[in-house]
Amino acid sequence: MDCIAGYTTYIDLIQDLVAGKKIISTGMMKEVDRVEMAIQEALSGRSCALISGGDPGIYAMAGLVFEICKKKNIPVFRPGLPHQGGGSEKTSSGLNLEIVPGIPALAAGAALAGAPLTHDFAAISLSDLLTKWETIEKRLTCAAMADFVMVIYNPKSRKRTWQLERAQELILAHRNRATPVAVVTGAMRTNQQIVFTRLDQLHLADIGMQTILFVGSSASVRYMDFFFTPRGYTDKYGGDHRPSEPRMDKQNQEA
Amino acid sequence: MDCIAGYTTYIDLIQDLVAGKKIISTGMMKEVDRVEMAIQEALSGRSCALISGGDPGIYAMAGLVFEICKKKNIPVFRPGLPHQGGGSEKTSSGLNLEIVPGIPALAAGAALAGAPLTHDFAAISLSDLLTKWETIEKRLTCAAMADFVMVIYNPKSRKRTWQLERAQELILAHRNRATPVAVVTGAMRTNQQIVFTRLDQLHLADIGMQTILFVGSSASVRYMDFFFTPRGYTDKYGGDHRPSEPRMDKQNQEA
């Protein structure tokens, strides 16, 4: 890779991997500049990795690459795959784009909290910088009504302080006050912190820019220092069900 | 790791990594047996890895471990972390449980489809084996009403054949007929296939046991051989916005 583009904080996390490469590093709120520069690099014939924390496709930069390419009429190709409905030939003026999936914060956070996401869930960002607050309210209400587990991204920032309490109020209209909530900050980083609370206490939690929240469904339960959402296996198959004979289909694979 | 437990298909995928280890491998529908055996191994003092495809916490086995431990009153501890509200001491009779997150099918599939999940989304399984169909219908309707992008797991199996068309009908009640849909099968495996269609054509798609679906929100758009959900950056900041001076905060990190 000739060039690495990313939010300054993420570039700092991988310093030892990027020595000697051209770096395009910009701060928060400079996403459009950063992605435009990365696209420009790639169009100039140099390879460029645009990095995100977690997974690049979940509340992250992959979408913005497409937004910008579409706006500027830059053709985008999937390397190594023939296009649908066309041949495998491609024009020389276009962007070869590969999206490399990662472990999203919702999966890393869930693993730390227990297993909140083993059943249907909704991911909702409380940031109303790019989304109308009324849309966010509707999503919170509908997700609460339909008993989805919820993963809440961007619950609070220095400037966005009232949204979380409003979200709590909307969810409480449809969900038990004692619903388990996990507050996960800095998942899998050195500042990692996991705190459990309940829905009616959520406004008291310590929440920062790297926090995501897991709000249980009506089925979710706390157990020991964890919180999980049963899928219903033990109800269906019987909790005391044991195989009459432990079946080890394959033991000791050594040849 | 002394022992590896998993669904036969997943064990087969990692044959070269598990040679010489004890293998607990069971077929589909034998999840409870498999997880009970894995827990038993770990309680006997041997280390046991219970493997899932994708991420173990998203529609996978992590939840069942907790379901069974709770039902059998087996204490569960997070290794290396003091419990919340308690000391760091732990009893000798209990399960030390670490959940290792992975790349979930929804992230792998999204990366192949483009960037459908860069804004709020709901994950819904159409499997009514362990969930009442009326609950699934309610979730489909609420997610459609609130304009969530949807990731649909378990759209169809040999025995579950009518659910997908009913889901399509419920979503169409609230969403445009031309809404983009990506049909992703075997993401990142050798049988990988990505097909784009639209919501009103979804019933014609070729869908198997390894397929997940991405149904766009009202904002989602097709572009070239991709489908993405804009977050609204280019509307907000202006599509022709360019930095007057390309700002390279750090160039050539070589010392």
Side-chain angles (χ1 to χ4, degrees), chain A residues 25 78 83 112 120 225 249, chain B residues 25 59 78 83 112 225 249:
Chain A
S25 164
R78 190 181 271 119
H83 346 152
L112 294 169
D120 302 336
D225 281 346
D249 295 347
Chain B
S25 163
Y59 296 113
R78 189 181 273 119
H83 344 154
L112 294 169
D225 282 346
D249 294 348

Side-chain angles (χ1 to χ4, degrees), chain B:
Chain B
M1 204 53 65
D2 301 318
C3 172
I4 311 290
Y7 173 38
T8 313
T9 305
Y10 299 142
I11 296 281
D12 290 348
L13 286 170
I14 57 165
Q15 283 294 359
D16 51 334
L17 297 174
V18 299
K21 296 184 189 298
K22 178 170 179 180
I23 304 289
I24 298 172
S25 163
T26 67
M28 219 160 31
M29 313 297 292
K30 295 289 180 190
E31 294 90 349
V32 177
D33 295 2
R34 194 194 308 149
V35 175
E36 285 187 339
M37 288 190 275
I39 292 171
Q40 209 47 57
E41 279 294 312
L43 291 177
S44 307
R46 289 179 288 273
S47 59
C48 183
L50 175 66
I51 61 162
S52 289
D55 178 87
I58 296 185
Y59 296 113
M61 294 295 99
L64 185 52
V65 174
F66 289 107
E67 269 190 75
I68 291 171
C69 288
K70 182 163 186 286
K71 207 113 185 177
K72 295 182 186 286
N73 289 312
I74 300 166
V76 180
F77 302 104
R78 189 181 273 119
L81 275 184
H83 344 154
Q84 197 183 21
S88 63
E89 74 290 344
K90 57 192 176 193
T91 66
S92 56
S93 66
L95 185 68
N96 274 308
L97 179 64
E98 183 185 12
I99 297 162
V100 180
I103 297 175
L106 62 84
L112 294 169
L117 305 184
T118 41
H119 212 321
D120 302 337
F121 66 93
I124 305 176
S125 166
L126 297 193
S127 172
D128 54 355
L129 297 177
L130 298 172
T131 305
K132 282 187 211 151
W133 179 252
E134 66 190 50
T135 302
I136 299 171
E137 286 216 352
K138 187 169 187 185
R139 287 178 180 162
L140 288 164
T141 294
C142 287
M145 279 172 56
D147 203 23
F148 280 105
V149 175
M150 293 183 197
V151 188
I152 297 184
Y153 277 73
N154 306 311
K156 207 184 249 189
S157 73
R158 262 176 232 164
K159 289 185 181 169
R160 292 183 304 95
T161 53
W162 56 266
Q163 286 84 349
L164 178 61
E165 285 192 40
R166 177 65 182 144
Q168 178 190 28
E169 182 182 22
L170 292 167
I171 302 168
L172 273 170
H174 300 276
R175 209 161 287 183
N176 196 294
R177 303 184 69 76
T179 298
V181 175
V183 179
V184 181
T185 301
M188 308 290 171
R189 299 204 181 133
T190 49
N191 61 330
Q192 171 180 304
Q193 203 188 352
I194 312 139
V195 175
F196 291 97
T197 183
R198 34 183 278 172
L199 185 54
D200 61 357
Q201 306 286 312
L202 176 54
H203 59 289
L204 304 173
D206 184 22
I207 289 171
M209 291 289 287
Q210 289 184 38
T211 302
I212 63 171
L213 306 175
F214 295 86
V215 179
S217 72
S218 66
S220 302
V221 283
R222 279 291 307 273
Y223 182 61
M224 310 288 293
D225 282 346
F226 299 93
F227 138 40
F228 73 99
T229 306
R231 214 165 160 196
Y233 284 107
T234 57
D235 292 342
K236 175 97 173 186
Y237 299 122
D240 293 326
H241 170 79
R242 278 166 190 276
S244 52
E245 195 81 16
R247 230 162 347 97
M248 309 290 174
D249 294 348
K250 302 171 192 175
Q251 281 198 30
N252 205 332
Q253 292 283 313
E254 207 159 44

Side-chain angles (χ1 to χ4, degrees), chain A residues 31-137:
Chain A
E31 294 90 348
V32 177
D33 296 2
R34 195 193 308 148
V35 175
E36 285 186 339
M37 287 189 274
I39 292 170
Q40 210 47 57
E41 279 293 312
L43 291 176
S44 309
R46 289 180 288 275
S47 59
C48 183
L50 175 65
I51 61 162
S52 289
D55 177 87
I58 296 185
Y59 297 112
M61 294 295 101
L64 186 51
V65 174
F66 289 107
E67 269 190 75
I68 292 171
C69 288
K70 183 164 186 285
K71 207 113 185 178
K72 295 182 185 285
N73 289 312
I74 300 166
V76 180
F77 303 104
R78 190 181 271 119
L81 273 186
H83 346 152
Q84 197 182 20
S88 63
E89 74 289 347
K90 56 193 177 191
T91 66
S92 56
S93 67
L95 186 69
N96 273 309
L97 178 63
E98 183 184 13
I99 297 162
V100 180
I103 296 175
L106 62 84
L112 294 169
L117 304 184
T118 41
H119 212 319
D120 302 336
F121 66 93
I124 306 175
S125 166
L126 298 193
S127 171
D128 55 353
L129 298 176
L130 298 172
T131 305
K132 283 186 210 152
W133 179 251
E134 66 191 47
T135 302
I136 299 171
E137 286 215 351

Side-chain angles (χ1 to χ4, degrees), chain A:
Chain A
M1 204 54 63
D2 301 320
C3 173
I4 311 289
Y7 173 38
T8 313
T9 304
Y10 299 142
I11 295 282
D12 290 346
L13 286 171
I14 56 165
Q15 284 294 358
D16 50 334
L17 297 173
V18 301
K21 297 184 188 298
K22 178 170 178 179
I23 304 288
I24 298 171
S25 164
T26 68
M28 219 162 27
M29 312 297 290
K30 293 289 179 192
E31 294 90 348
V32 177
D33 296 2
R34 195 193 308 148
V35 175
E36 285 186 339
M37 287 189 274
I39 292 170
Q40 210 47 57
E41 279 293 312
L43 291 176
S44 309
R46 289 180 288 275
S47 59
C48 183
L50 175 65
I51 61 162
S52 289
D55 177 87
I58 296 185
Y59 297 112
M61 294 295 101
L64 186 51
V65 174
F66 289 107
E67 269 190 75
I68 292 171
C69 288
K70 183 164 186 285
K71 207 113 185 178
K72 295 182 185 285
N73 289 312
I74 300 166
V76 180
F77 303 104
R78 190 181 271 119
L81 273 186
H83 346 152
Q84 197 182 20
S88 63
E89 74 289 347
K90 56 193 177 191
T91 66
S92 56
S93 67
L95 186 69
N96 273 309
L97 178 63
E98 183 184 13
I99 297 162
V100 180
I103 296 175
L106 62 84
L112 294 169
L117 304 184
T118 41
H119 212 319
D120 302 336
F121 66 93
I124 306 175
S125 166
L126 298 193
S127 171
D128 55 353
L129 298 176
L130 298 172
T131 305
K132 283 186 210 152
W133 179 251
E134 66 191 47
T135 302
I136 299 171
E137 286 215 351
K138 188 169 187 187
R139 287 179 178 161
L140 288 163
T141 294
C142 287
M145 279 172 57
D147 203 23
F148 280 105
V149 174
M150 294 184 197
V151 188
I152 297 183
Y153 277 73
N154 306 311
K156 206 184 249 188
S157 72
R158 260 175 234 164
K159 289 184 180 170
R160 292 182 304 96
T161 53
W162 57 266
Q163 286 84 347
L164 179 61
E165 284 192 42
R166 177 65 182 144
Q168 178 190 29
E169 181 182 23
L170 292 167
I171 302 169
L172 273 170
H174 300 276
R175 210 161 286 183
N176 197 294
R177 303 182 70 75
T179 298
V181 175
V183 179
V184 181
T185 301
M188 309 288 171
R189 298 204 182 132
T190 48
N191 60 332
Q192 171 180 303
Q193 204 188 351
I194 311 140
V195 174
F196 291 96
T197 183
R198 34 184 278 173
L199 185 54
D200 61 358
Q201 307 285 313
L202 177 54
H203 58 288
L204 303 173
D206 184 22
I207 289 171
M209 291 289 286
Q210 288 184 38
T211 301
I212 63 172
L213 307 175
F214 295 85
V215 179
S217 71
S218 66
S220 303
V221 284
R222 279 292 307 272
Y223 182 60
M224 310 288 293
D225 281 346
F226 299 93
F227 139 39
F228 73 100
T229 307
R231 215 167 157 194
Y233 285 105
T234 56
D235 291 341
K236 175 100 172 183
Y237 300 121
D240 293 325
H241 171 79
R242 279 166 188 274
S244 53
E245 194 84 12
R247 229 163 348 94
M248 305 293 172
D249 295 347
K250 301 171 192 173
Q251 282 200 31
N252 205 333
Q253 293 281 312
E254 208 158 42

